[in-house]
Amino acid sequence: MAAEKTVLDLYPALRDPPRQPPPRKTTSYRLFRTMVSPKLAAAHGYSLIFIGLVSNNQVSMHAEISALWAIAYLTGKLAQAPVGVLLDDAGKMNVDVAAMTTFMKKRYLGRKDIPDAAMEIQDYVDLMMRDMGLRADRKSMKAPPTWLGYQAWKAEWFTPYLPRDYSGIIAEFRNRYKALSNYYNKLRFRGWNRFGVADTNIPRPHSCSGLR
């Protein structure tokens, strides 16, 4: 399996795990970002999402950011975000799902087919932030300017992230997508899609009026 080989090449220590309980008879989740069906997403079927499936030790942070990610997905705004290229391609999403599922199964053997990111939850949160086009380096954003950015570097690497570090992300999200919606609406009126290519089959981007 290509995904398993890739993960084991990156993390050789996972090749020789301790003895584990018998395998489960159920199959693993096949959800992009552990939340959405690749098939539905690629068909622009922004109608169903599953949140809260990932076991982690930063529940409040994960709940807040995954909820915002879910809103962005359900309202079609992720189609305008950096992750939009992936959401258009079921094949690429399935490759991503296979890699993430394989890593979790090898990393947390006792959890079997249940998504788990106990030690990697910060990376997962950062990934969702980048998906939405928002900055993940929250401490660098708020650190006072110093010589060569020493304080920002120190805060990012040696200070734990807390829920308060994500204060203001709703406003950042609204401002970003309000500007993008206006831009893409202008393209739409000219008969172009978000890539600047003539295409009348792309659905019209939503506005940000639903985020009060």
Side-chain angles (χ1 to χ4, degrees):
M1 183 179 179
E4 182 170 343
K5 183 179 183 303
T6 300
V7 170
L8 293 179
D9 286 344
L10 286 171
Y11 307 100
L14 299 179
R15 292 181 185 275
D16 187 24
R19 189 166 53 183
Q20 296 297 313
R24 299 166 66 96
K25 296 181 179 180
T26 55
T27 58
S28 59
Y29 295 105
R30 302 293 298 173
L31 300 173
F32 180 65
R33 297 293 189 262
T34 74
M35 288 185 280
V36 301
S37 160
K39 183 177 179 180
L40 280 177
H44 299 169
Y46 308 136
S47 58
L48 182 65
I49 192 167
F50 304 91
I51 59 176
L53 296 180
V54 180
S55 176
N56 67 89
N57 53 12
Q58 290 281 9
V59 176
S60 56
M61 270 183 359
H62 173 257
E64 175 79 10
I65 294 161
S66 62
L68 187 59
W69 196 99
I71 292 172
Y73 173 79
L74 292 171
T75 55
K77 294 179 180 63
L78 283 186
Q80 307 166 17
V83 76
V85 176
L86 269 179
L87 289 173
D88 280 339
D89 192 324
K92 290 182 179 178
M93 281 188 282
N94 282 322
V95 170
D96 186 277
V97 168
M100 182 174 286
T101 301
T102 301
F103 173 78
M104 288 180 176
K105 289 174 73 172
K106 293 290 184 181
R107 177 71 170 86
Y108 301 99
L109 296 172
R111 301 293 290 174
K112 298 302 180 184
D113 297 316
I114 301 173
D116 199 323
M119 303 301 295
E120 295 81 20
I121 189 60
Q122 187 60 55
D123 297 308
Y124 183 55
V125 165
D126 290 350
L127 183 61
M128 288 190 289
M129 291 289 288
R130 290 193 293 269
D131 280 351
M132 295 184 286
L134 303 178
R135 287 185 59 177
D137 57 334
R138 312 302 297 178
K139 291 185 180 294
S140 294
M141 290 175 60
K142 300 176 181 180
T146 55
W147 183 69
L148 295 180
Y150 168 74
Q151 289 290 350
W153 177 84
K154 179 181 175 183
E156 285 292 339
W157 283 95
F158 297 106
T159 308
Y161 265 81
L162 300 172
R164 65 170 176 259
D165 292 316
Y166 293 92
S167 63
I169 61 172
I170 300 292
E172 291 174 37
F173 178 88
R174 293 182 64 188
N175 291 337
R176 173 182 169 79
Y177 287 97
K178 183 176 181 180
L180 281 178
S181 290
N182 292 337
Y183 172 71
Y184 289 126
N185 282 337
K186 290 178 181 178
L187 288 182
R188 179 62 172 151
F189 287 133
R190 296 173 185 174
W192 300 338
N193 63 17
R194 65 179 182 277
F195 303 111
V197 179
D199 188 348
T200 57
N201 295 321
I202 299 294
R204 185 189 186 97
H206 296 267
S207 70
C208 289
S209 58
L211 292 172
R212 299 297 182 185

